[in-house]
């Protein structure tokens, strides 16, 4: 009689602080997870080493991903990497490369019982972070231009893709859309991270109820401040090479005071428009999958 194939729980995070919170908790409790027979796969560097270039499209890349995601026992995988960038530096569609990552997961886990926990960020968080990242990496793009180039964002196509890959009963959405406006974002992030783990772990171990999930802590989001953005946008027109842009990034990262507050450059009207899209998406998703 053949042994059952160990299950894999996949956490895909569009809300990066939740991914960091899950990673930090798994790192803190790695020995406890191991004692419960669960192998955590949460390291960004280990994933890049396992799948060089994050090659989701080739058979070789998908074979490498399968090796990374499977073990002698159940595996908990948490990452944002298979989704790719939220937006390209020029704007465009939301998560334009996510289909390739989802297809790679489905191919790599063929024959393996797997489930997906998807943590959803507020659209305003995603737009802001993508624009700031574009500037940070040396793209001279003002926010108004970036905004005009965005296609209407929606989480529905991504969830539909996951449902098609693994089935509606194996996809859960964890709502992180309110973290942006929460009185204590770190506390709110911890709650979403705990929700992800509470859903992901029971299929992996009978002892999930004894795991110290109250220890999930919010992780401070890396950010650039309004002043850092201003310095970068002022300097970028005068730079001539990738090396110069890279040096500017390091200078702003290390030498320009971030003031402790991340840049939130969207106008109130744009914030309100994106908040309405969050609510509309969640309403549609409730007809597709469980929302926690």
């Amino acid at each position: 009689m053949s042994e059952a194939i160990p299950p894999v729980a996949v956490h895909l995070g569009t809300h990066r602080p939740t991914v960091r919170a899950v990673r930090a908790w798994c790192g803190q409790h790695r020995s406890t997870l191991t004692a419960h027979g669960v192998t955590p796969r949460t390291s960004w560097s280990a994933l890049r080493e396992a799948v060089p270039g994050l090659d989701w499209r080739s058979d070789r890349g998908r074979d490498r991903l399968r090796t990374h995601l499977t073990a002698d026992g159940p595996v908990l995988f948490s990452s944002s990497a298979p989704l790719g960038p939220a937006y390209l530096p020029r704007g465009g569609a939301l998560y334009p490369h996510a289909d390739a990552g989802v297809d790679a997961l489905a191919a790599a886990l063929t024959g393996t019982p797997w489930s997906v926990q998807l943590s959803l960020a507020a659209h305003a968080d995603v737009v802001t972070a993508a624009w700031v990242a574009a500037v940070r990496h040396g793209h001279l793009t003002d926010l108004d231009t970036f905004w005009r180039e965005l296609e209407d964002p929606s989480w529905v196509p991504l969830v539909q893709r996951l449902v098609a890959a693994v089935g509606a009963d194996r996809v859960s959405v964890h709502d992180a859309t309110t973290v942006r406006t929460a009185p204590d974002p770190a506390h709110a992030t911890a709650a979403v991270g705990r929700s992800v783990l509470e859903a992901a772990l029971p299929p992996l171990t009978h002892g999930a109820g004894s795991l110290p999930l109250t220890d999930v802590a919010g992780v401070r989001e890396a950010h650039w401040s309004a002043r850092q953005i201003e310095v970068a946008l002022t300097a970028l027109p005068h730079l001539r090479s990738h090396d110069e842009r890279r040096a500017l990034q390091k200078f702003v990262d290390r030498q320009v005071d971030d003031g402790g507050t991340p840049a939130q450059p969207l106008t109130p009207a744009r914030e309100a428009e994106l908040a309405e899209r969050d609510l509309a998406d969640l309403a549609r998703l409730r007809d597709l999958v469980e929302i926690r």
Side-chain angles (χ1 to χ4, degrees):
M1 182 176 180
S2 62
E3 295 183 2
I5 298 174
V8 175
V10 174
H11 168 224
L12 298 176
T14 71
H15 187 245
R16 298 292 181 97
T18 296
V19 175
R20 294 188 181 99
V22 170
R23 181 189 304 140
W25 184 88
C26 288
Q28 179 183 356
H29 297 289
R30 183 172 295 275
S31 60
T32 303
L33 287 170
T34 300
H36 281 74
V38 177
T39 300
R41 293 277 191 257
T42 60
S43 167
W44 172 262
S45 59
L47 177 60
R48 291 189 67 90
E49 182 178 353
V51 189
L54 299 180
D55 172 20
W56 310 128
R57 299 178 186 276
S58 73
D59 289 342
R60 183 177 183 182
R62 293 176 177 189
D63 287 343
R64 285 175 168 270
L65 180 61
R66 179 178 181 82
T67 300
H68 184 66
L69 294 182
T70 55
D72 291 337
V75 170
L76 170 62
F77 173 67
S78 176
S79 180
S80 59
L83 299 177
Y87 290 102
L88 300 180
R90 63 178 179 275
L94 177 63
Y95 282 102
H97 303 319
D99 283 359
V102 173
D103 287 349
L105 288 167
L109 295 174
T110 298
T112 299
W114 64 294
S115 57
V116 177
Q117 312 299 324
L118 178 68
S119 52
L120 285 188
H123 282 301
D125 269 333
V126 177
V127 170
T128 299
W131 175 69
V132 170
V135 174
R136 183 173 179 271
H137 288 97
H139 298 275
L140 184 58
T141 305
D142 65 89
L143 181 57
D144 287 340
T145 300
F146 186 81
W147 177 266
R148 286 196 299 270
E149 295 300 319
L150 295 180
E151 297 179 12
D152 289 342
S154 173
W155 295 123
V156 175
L158 174 58
V159 174
Q160 289 174 327
R161 187 73 173 186
L162 290 168
V163 167
V166 71
D169 60 330
R170 294 189 180 182
V171 177
S172 294
V173 166
H174 300 264
D175 181 9
T177 63
T178 59
V179 171
R180 181 177 179 83
T181 56
D184 185 344
H187 180 77
T189 294
V192 180
R194 188 160 49 251
S195 174
V196 168
L197 290 165
E198 287 173 347
L201 289 170
L204 305 184
T205 172
H206 295 300
S210 65
L211 291 170
L213 294 179
T214 55
D215 287 356
V216 180
V219 179
R220 181 176 179 268
E221 171 72 297
H223 64 261
W224 266 17
S225 66
R227 182 167 182 259
Q228 288 174 304
I229 289 290
E230 181 182 7
V231 170
L233 289 176
T234 300
L236 279 172
H238 306 287
L239 305 184
R240 298 179 179 177
S241 68
H242 173 77
D243 288 344
E244 289 183 349
R245 290 190 291 272
R246 179 65 175 163
L248 173 65
Q249 177 186 322
K250 290 181 179 180
F251 169 76
V252 176
D253 278 343
R254 299 172 183 175
Q255 303 297 328
V256 179
D257 182 16
D258 68 8
T261 303
Q264 291 192 338
L266 295 173
T267 64
R270 289 173 178 171
E271 289 269 4
E273 178 181 340
L274 292 175
E276 289 180 2
R277 296 188 186 198
D278 290 333
L279 293 175
D281 279 354
L282 290 170
R284 292 181 63 189
L285 292 178
R286 287 188 179 93
D287 293 331
L288 296 175
V289 297
E290 175 191 33
I291 296 183
R292 297 170 66 101

